[in-house]
Amino acid sequence: MTHDLTFPSGTPTAEGLAERALRDPHRPRFHFTSPGGWLNDPNGLSHWNGVYHLFYQYNPLAAAHHRIHWGHATSTDLIHWTDEPVALVPGTTGPDRDGCWSGVLVDDGGVPTLVYSGRHGEHELPCVARGSADLRYWTKDPANPVIAAPPEGIDITAFRDHCVWREGQLWRQLVGSGIRGAGGTAFLYESDDLRSWRYVGPLLTGDASQNRGELDWTGTMWECVDLFRLGEGEEAGSTDVLVFSAWDEGTTHHPLYWIGRYEGDTFTPTGLHRLDYGGRYFYAPQSTGDEHGRRLMFGWLQEGRTDEANAQAGWCGVMSLPRVVTLATDGGLHQAPVPELTELRRERVEVAPGRLADSYTRLPAVRGDQLDIETTLRLAPGATARLVLRETPDGAERTVVEVSRSHDGASGTLRLHRDTSSLDPTVDTELRYGEVPLGSDGRVDLRVLVDHSALEIFANGRALTARIYPTRPDKAVGVGVGADGDVALERFDAWQMASVFSDGPRPLWP
């Protein structure tokens, strides 16, 4: 999914854009952002010969919105990233002349190979490119597109984004789509060589007539489908997960996932879940397995301010922190930031445990706009705990993370209140919320990562991602805690987080 980022005074130079982006106080410092211009979907995630590769949808100068490139960054630790040369550039002719859209990287007999959506006019079709051994340089296949058209006889809403894997002697591929009048779907294909593909059929089709307007509506098209298996070899057995982002007529809604069983040519679902309670603020996720046996996931943090504000800032879009995805005890997914992130921690502050007796107490020892906070709370039935972030001295701007337990003690809810997060009336301040699993003791393990405008919250393995834009960012550094009802603060640790990029502008075209 793309959108315009039009500069009011014309397109600036690459150097000017990078300088402008560097000065914006809302730009994160330990999340990955592009050097300048516009970023969205993570693509081609891989752990190749000990190096993590992050490709991403990239519009370096944010000119014509559909001329999308593939940016590229590498890391050995999932924390510090090196900008690499742009991997894919739209052709002057051919099936990707209007953009190189989302896709994946696979190992084709030792040859790194990209499968991506080339855009030509209104057509979005699968294309292939082969890479050098270091994944820095790519050659497009002259046979592109490798699928000439969507399935015949089906009225589709869209046809793009790919999930490709090896299954026995065959390659299999999912292409995100939707069947008009029915719902979003993932079309299944198979191939001997990644170039000649046979259509198998829809793997699974949603019902767009159900739950329209709700937080689990499956949309009229599924973007960025991702199929993977968790728990294989474990005593409890394995589970298949089908992730997708619900889309409808140009509007991005939210990421969801089906739990179930992939077998043969079908996926039999047993449950539908919300992937991130932030909705579109964690969109188009993609995952990969690494050499340590982990399933890692990245998502695109969309902006919550106007296109004009994005243009003035000179950049747009943030990559999420990498997450480890595992099976939760309740059958859903458990998400947590990769443990490598703790290497960025500096200047630990510990708050003494005890009962939270007041509705609000400011913590003068904890301040900042680059923070990692870990706390353990125990909530009695009917109780609510809150963590206040990015608060100005006068309290006029503040963001509130709230965890509550139902009066019967059976369930918990995570809420993010942003109604006072900014005095700018043009930014999004909509409430975000979702269910949190609780044990009989009401324990909540809360992890909150604050990185200027980027906010990632994890509560008992459930994630909520959002963006905040205080108008006085240099003053909005206060932190506090509070409670209504019986809440025990068993642990509270906070760290300042180091920046991962240098203080100078990064080259826009590395």
Side-chain angles (χ1 to χ4, degrees), residues 392-427:
T392 54
D394 61 3
E397 291 185 312
R398 64 204 304 252
T399 297
V400 183
V401 180
E402 191 176 85
V403 182
S404 59
R405 188 178 181 189
S406 62
H407 286 280
D408 63 8
S411 62
T413 303
L414 172 66
R415 295 180 179 88
L416 177 65
H417 298 276
R418 297 182 298 156
D419 50 309
T420 58
S421 65
S422 177
L423 295 176
D424 180 351
T426 69
V427 305

Side-chain angles (χ1 to χ4, degrees), residues 201-269:
L203 181 75
L204 179 68
T205 301
D207 185 350
S209 69
Q210 297 293 315
N211 299 336
R212 179 179 282 272
E214 300 298 322
L215 297 175
D216 61 352
W217 182 52
T218 57
T220 59
M221 187 262 174
W222 292 354
E223 291 197 294
C224 301
V225 291
D226 188 16
L227 175 67
F228 54 88
R229 178 163 290 175
L230 290 176
E232 195 163 27
E234 297 180 5
E235 186 176 338
S238 62
T239 297
D240 295 320
V241 184
L242 180 62
V243 178
F244 64 95
S245 291
W247 178 96
D248 177 54
E249 299 297 333
T251 299
T252 57
H253 284 268
H254 40 245
L256 302 171
Y257 66 94
W258 297 98
I259 290 290
R261 174 58 62 185
Y262 162 65
E263 196 167 17
D265 300 334
T266 60
F267 183 95
T268 303

Side-chain angles (χ1 to χ4, degrees), residues 56-241:
Y56 56 94
Q57 297 282 271
Y58 183 35
N59 195 332
L61 291 178
H65 76 279
H66 55 280
R67 293 278 294 173
I68 305 305
H69 303 54
W70 272 41
H72 183 198
T74 55
S75 175
T76 57
D77 61 7
L78 289 170
I79 303 169
H80 302 90
W81 294 91
T82 299
D83 295 308
E84 302 288 354
V86 170
L88 293 177
V89 176
T92 55
T93 61
D96 65 2
R97 71 185 190 189
D98 291 326
C100 301
W101 285 25
S102 292
V104 295
L105 184 150
V106 295
D107 183 348
D108 184 13
V111 178
T113 303
L114 302 179
V115 181
Y116 68 98
S117 291
R119 184 178 176 89
H120 176 190
E122 296 304 311
H123 299 287
E124 298 156 345
L125 296 171
C127 296
V128 169
R130 292 166 66 86
S132 58
D134 60 5
L135 280 64
R136 299 184 82 207
Y137 304 102
W138 299 87
T139 303
K140 298 173 186 176
D141 197 297
N144 286 337
V146 295
I147 297 177
E152 293 184 6
I154 302 177
D155 186 7
I156 63 169
T157 54
F159 186 76
R160 60 174 175 268
D161 308 335
H162 312 272
C163 177
V164 183
W165 68 97
R166 189 79 175 175
E167 191 171 318
Q169 299 301 308
L170 291 173
W171 290 100
R172 293 206 128 187
Q173 172 177 192
L174 295 177
V175 182
S177 190
I179 301 173
R180 201 171 300 279
T185 192
F187 288 129
L188 178 62
Y189 289 79
E190 61 183 21
S191 171
D192 301 307
D193 60 2
L194 291 174
R195 281 133 184 100
S196 298
W197 292 91
R198 298 176 292 276
Y199 174 57
V200 177
L203 181 75
L204 179 68
T205 301
D207 185 350
S209 69
Q210 297 293 315
N211 299 336
R212 179 179 282 272
E214 300 298 322
L215 297 175
D216 61 352
W217 182 52
T218 57
T220 59
M221 187 262 174
W222 292 354
E223 291 197 294
C224 301
V225 291
D226 188 16
L227 175 67
F228 54 88
R229 178 163 290 175
L230 290 176
E232 195 163 27
E234 297 180 5
E235 186 176 338
S238 62
T239 297
D240 295 320
V241 184

